Amino acid sequence: MVAPAAAPAIALLLIPFLLFPAPMAAVLIPTDYLALQSIRKALSDLPGSTYFASWDFTADPCSFPGVLCRDDRVVALALGDPRAGSPGLSGHLPPTLGHLSALAELSLVPGSVSGPIPTSISLCSTLRFLALSRNLLSGPIPPSLSSLAHLRVIDVGFNLLSGTIPPLLPRLPSLSTLILAGNRLSGPIPSFAQNSPLVRLDLQHNRLSGQMPVSLPTSLRYLSLSSNQLSGPVDRILPSLRRLAFLDLSSNSFSGPIPGSIFALPLSSLRLQRNYFSGDLRLPGPVRIPYIDLSFNRLGGRIPAALSAAEWLYLDYNRFIGEVPTGFVDRILKGEMRVLYLQHNFLTGMAIGPPSKIPIITSLCLQFNCMVPPVQTACPARAGQQKTRPAEQCPKWRKV
């Protein structure tokens, strides 16, 4: 059964220009005119792109695709054709970007633009929107970006950026979206002010290490720290994030208990797989999270019946014991569960037999437990061929 995709990334490149009225005809000041000429020299269309074809400086630069002016200044610059499938641009971002000092929005479509993020961008003191994702930008994130007090969105994800996260970047007072995913960033995650307006924090697929930051904004609705080298407990900080709708801490080395209060959050997706979480699951009440993945941990005890409300549930490769609660059987037979993976635990039974018909839309796997699977179902290849645990591993969980 194919699991649902993670929450889709915000379509940031389609946002520019929404904050401005219709442009007015005017003559650009010389610094902005020369800055646009420098940008044109530094960047080129990749084969198949025609973005720069109409950048003819014998005409009014304010009429160029991607250029928005107010009075005699450039206030927004969207570099590249934003239509789906556009090949994007190549070249580098020139330091003269900083000469566009009235710039409020700067975006770059996915492509092959390389080199560093110019530190001169910090001279654009009114910049509110910065989106440079999915290119080949390298080097550190300029610490000078931390001086841009009006920045609301920073998306430099899926580049080749390295070094540490500037410690003052999370302290930007207006920042609502911070996407640094898919780079080569290392070191710890800086602390955030709890009263920050940050709604989305995406740091997945980096090389970040250390523990969860001491504080995170209580305004967060999307938090992804997956595929890093983070460790330590999470029970001190996560319960305070009561507005979370998406949480992904997978593929790290987090340990200790999973706080039960997480299961009461208004989450659409909870992804904690491939860590070292341990102990029993103690749930405070009903669970209304559709997608839950706790696989490949060290969780034990009995499976809470409240988890049967999930539509996709992955509990495989843990240390759960006892019988599967009957609520799971009812949900499966009604076709209300799409995935229930319980393989590679120490479970001793499930009240479902061969006469029962598993709906075709449901994927159920029970093998390699302390029981003979009561129904034969197709399991993922990673579950292996062995149907039952060796008897010597199961004496404590045999039914008397």
Side-chain angles (χ1 to χ4, degrees):
M1 178 64 60
V2 179
I10 298 175
L12 295 175
L13 292 176
L14 302 181
I15 293 176
F17 304 164
L18 295 181
L19 302 177
F20 298 101
M24 300 175 61
V27 177
L28 278 181
I29 65 170
T31 53
D32 283 21
Y33 185 89
L34 293 173
L36 290 177
Q37 283 190 321
S38 177
I39 291 166
R40 176 62 189 92
K41 292 177 181 177
L43 296 171
S44 302
D45 284 303
L46 285 170
S49 173
T50 59
Y51 172 74
F52 281 122
S54 58
W55 273 47
D56 179 359
F57 284 90
T58 63
D60 177 13
C62 293
S63 66
F64 293 173
V67 178
L68 183 69
C69 303
R70 178 188 291 164
D71 298 327
D72 58 353
R73 303 302 309 273
V74 176
V75 293
L77 184 59
L79 294 169
D81 185 346
R83 292 177 296 183
S86 170
L89 307 175
S90 62
H92 67 279
L93 296 176
T96 47
L97 272 170
H99 295 173
L100 300 174
S101 57
L103 200 63
E105 300 180 357
L106 173 61
S107 64
L108 173 66
V109 300
S112 299
V113 177
S114 59
I117 297 174
T119 58
S120 60
I121 289 179
S122 63
L123 299 176
C124 304
S125 60
T126 59
L127 194 66
R128 289 176 286 181
F129 181 93
L130 179 64
L132 309 174
S133 65
R134 298 185 184 275
N135 278 276
L136 302 174
L137 299 172
S138 58
I141 297 172
S144 57
L145 293 182
S146 304
S147 67
L148 296 173
H150 299 286
L151 264 179
R152 300 176 187 174
V153 173
I154 300 176
D155 181 2
V156 293
F158 300 97
N159 280 286
L160 303 174
L161 299 172
S162 57
T164 59
I165 300 173
L168 296 181
L169 198 65
R171 298 281 175 173
L172 286 168
S174 301
L175 194 63
S176 64
T177 298
L178 179 59
I179 302 175
L180 309 179
N183 282 289
R184 300 173 178 178
L185 300 172
S186 58
I189 301 173
S191 288
F192 292 72
Q194 285 193 328
N195 61 352
S196 163
L198 195 68
V199 173
R200 182 184 181 101
L201 177 60
D202 191 348
L203 305 179
Q204 64 177 298
H205 289 275
N206 276 288
R207 301 169 183 175
L208 300 170
S209 59
Q211 298 193 4
M212 290 274 282
V214 176
S215 64
L216 285 170
T218 56
S219 56
L220 274 177
R221 293 186 57 79
Y222 182 105
L223 175 60
S224 180
L225 306 178
S226 67
S227 300
N228 278 285
Q229 300 165 16
L230 300 166
S231 60
V234 301
D235 53 341
R236 293 182 181 179
I237 181 64
L238 289 183
S240 65
L241 306 179
R242 298 177 182 176
R243 300 179 184 178
L244 275 181
F246 181 91
L247 176 61
D248 188 353
L249 305 182
S250 62
S251 299
N252 280 286
S253 297
F254 289 119
S255 58
I258 297 175
S261 57
I262 286 181
F263 295 93
L265 296 175
L267 292 167
S268 63
S269 183
L270 175 61
R271 301 166 185 259
L272 304 180
Q273 70 270 25
R274 297 185 183 275
N275 279 284
Y276 297 103
F277 290 117
S278 59
D280 296 0
L281 292 178
R282 303 186 184 277
L283 278 55
V287 175
R288 297 183 175 87
I289 306 171
Y291 184 98
I292 299 175
D293 192 342
L294 309 180
S295 62
F296 291 91
N297 278 288
R298 298 174 177 178
L299 300 169
R302 295 182 179 273
I303 297 174
L307 289 178
S308 65
E311 192 173 352
W312 289 269
L313 181 62
Y314 301 83
L315 300 178
D316 44 310
Y317 292 88
N318 277 287
R319 300 172 181 177
F320 290 111
I321 63 172
E323 294 204 3
V324 180
T326 56
F328 286 88
V329 177
D330 295 339
R331 294 261 298 161
I332 286 172
L333 296 181
K334 292 177 182 177
E336 295 173 349
M337 290 195 81
R338 301 293 298 275
V339 174
L340 178 59
Y341 280 179
L342 300 175
Q343 66 269 24
H344 287 259
N345 280 284
F346 296 86
L347 300 169
T348 54
M350 184 175 184
I352 188 170
S356 303
K357 291 185 179 180
I358 308 298
I360 193 170
I361 64 170
T362 298
S363 181
L364 171 66
C365 185
L366 297 169
Q367 69 185 48
F368 207 73
N369 277 285
C370 294
M371 61 176 173
V372 175
V375 289
Q376 298 302 314
T377 55
C379 287
R382 73 184 185 191
Q385 299 298 318
Q386 197 166 353
K387 298 296 183 182
T388 305
R389 277 191 179 275
E392 60 268 19
Q393 296 182 12
C394 297
K396 293 182 180 179
W397 298 279
R398 283 182 178 173
K399 294 180 68 176
V400 177

